[in-house]
Amino acid sequence: MKFDLDTAWKDTTSLVRDNFGLLAVLSGVFYFVPYLAALLWVPGMSELAMGQFDPNNDKMEAMVQAMFADYWWAFILLTLVQGVGLLSMLALLRRRASPTVAEAIKVGVRSVASYFVASILLGFMIGLAAIVIVAPGALSGIAALAVIGVIVLVVMMFYLFTKFSMVSPVIAIDSVLNPLEALSRSWKLTKGNSVRIFFFYALLMVAYLVISTVVSLVFSLVFALGGAEAQTFGNAFSASLMQAVFAVVFIGVLAAVHAQLTRLKAAPAEPVDGTY
């Protein structure tokens, strides 16, 4: 049996619809509020989030470097807070014991370190892949090889993202707190269905980009009537709102995909010549 996109989407909508109130509260606390605060209080982050960063502008590049140097602690804190929210919402959705919100948050707090370490290990793998794949072409001085290296790296990044997308559900739902074991189980769960899962994620991402662009334009036009400061707040508000909404939907997606892959792995093998 193969991963079914239609079943995954139906399961996602069912999970989100049945738990929307609690998910919205958790997403507001762990995603909307922290991200809005970061956009408004960390200098330069709003421009970076809105896609206004020009890598060819030396002044802007220096501003971004200074932002990361001065506020690295804020980015780590934001990552940890959103990690707790992600794991808490997953625990709330799929735990067989039907935990309360407080119990789900405890799961998130207890397991966020494992998630953080697993994310670092994944980042290390991507960095290593970048060195191995891109460096030879860049050092050769041949533009075509460099371009091919970048394309291969992008494909590899999408592949790794898909293969390890089940790490957070494995940690929050299956209670696998060993980061290496969580990475290994995610790899095994997605085995044989990686392409289907990737296209499912890609379709959702395209829909999100279209909707978020429209929402951002509407908010920008409305708040622009109040002046530059109001427009800045409106842009930050719309970006934070869309991230919170996306978090609810994508966490529902992760839970639904994890549930289906777990069922598929637990199902008996398909018959071959009338036998198993």
Side-chain angles (χ1 to χ4, degrees):
M1 295 176 66
K2 291 293 185 180
F3 176 79
D4 185 72
L5 280 67
D6 185 56
T7 299
W9 179 244
K10 288 179 179 178
D11 290 345
T12 298
T13 54
S14 177
L15 286 170
V16 172
R17 181 181 63 251
D18 295 343
N19 300 276
F20 182 75
L22 296 176
L23 290 175
V25 171
L26 289 174
S27 184
V29 172
F30 289 102
Y31 281 87
F32 177 77
V33 173
Y35 193 62
L36 178 62
L39 288 177
L40 293 177
W41 292 335
V42 176
M45 186 171 174
S46 179
E47 290 81 358
L48 187 63
M50 295 300 113
Q52 299 173 4
F53 172 65
D54 181 5
N56 298 318
N57 187 318
D58 294 337
K59 184 177 180 180
M60 187 168 289
E61 184 177 0
M63 179 191 71
V64 172
Q65 291 176 351
M67 176 186 70
F68 282 109
D70 295 338
Y71 293 93
W72 58 268
W73 56 270
F75 292 105
I76 292 178
L77 181 61
L78 180 63
T79 301
L80 291 174
V81 169
Q82 293 190 337
V84 171
L86 167 67
L87 298 167
S88 299
M89 286 190 276
L90 283 170
L92 185 68
L93 282 180
R94 300 301 306 185
R95 284 271 178 167
R96 289 188 178 88
S98 300
T100 64
V101 172
E103 290 170 340
I105 293 175
K106 288 180 181 178
V107 171
V109 172
R110 186 173 65 249
S111 55
V112 70
S114 300
Y115 174 72
F116 189 64
V117 173
S119 300
I120 292 176
L121 291 174
L122 179 57
F124 176 78
M125 281 187 273
I126 293 175
L128 185 61
I131 294 174
V132 173
I133 296 172
V134 177
L139 293 175
S140 69
I142 303 175
L145 288 178
V147 172
I148 292 173
V150 171
I151 294 173
V152 173
L153 177 62
V154 171
V155 173
M156 179 64 70
M157 289 174 62
F158 284 134
Y159 178 73
L160 291 176
F161 169 78
T162 302
K163 294 298 294 181
F164 295 119
S165 61
M166 291 293 99
V167 167
S168 52
V170 165
I171 292 174
I173 298 171
D174 297 338
S175 299
V176 178
L177 298 183
N178 184 317
L180 290 175
E181 188 179 346
L183 290 167
S184 175
R185 176 160 173 76
S186 176
W187 186 280
K188 292 175 182 177
L189 280 174
T190 55
K191 185 178 181 180
N193 290 291
S194 301
V195 175
R196 289 171 175 263
I197 296 170
F198 167 74
F199 279 112
F200 183 53
Y201 292 157
L203 289 172
L204 294 175
M205 186 57 66
V206 170
Y208 167 74
L209 290 174
V210 172
I211 295 172
S212 63
T213 299
V214 173
V215 171
S216 297
L217 287 173
V218 172
F219 271 88
S220 181
L221 290 173
V222 171
F223 279 91
L225 300 175
E229 291 186 0
Q231 186 175 21
T232 299
F233 175 81
N235 289 338
F237 183 89
S238 64
S240 302
L241 179 63
M242 288 308 302
Q243 188 188 75
V245 172
F246 177 76
V248 170
V249 175
F250 192 65
I251 287 166
V253 167
L254 291 178
V257 172
H258 173 267
Q260 186 178 161
L261 292 178
T262 301
R263 291 196 301 267
L264 291 176
K265 295 300 178 183
E270 293 183 357
V272 179
D273 296 331
T275 61
Y276 286 93

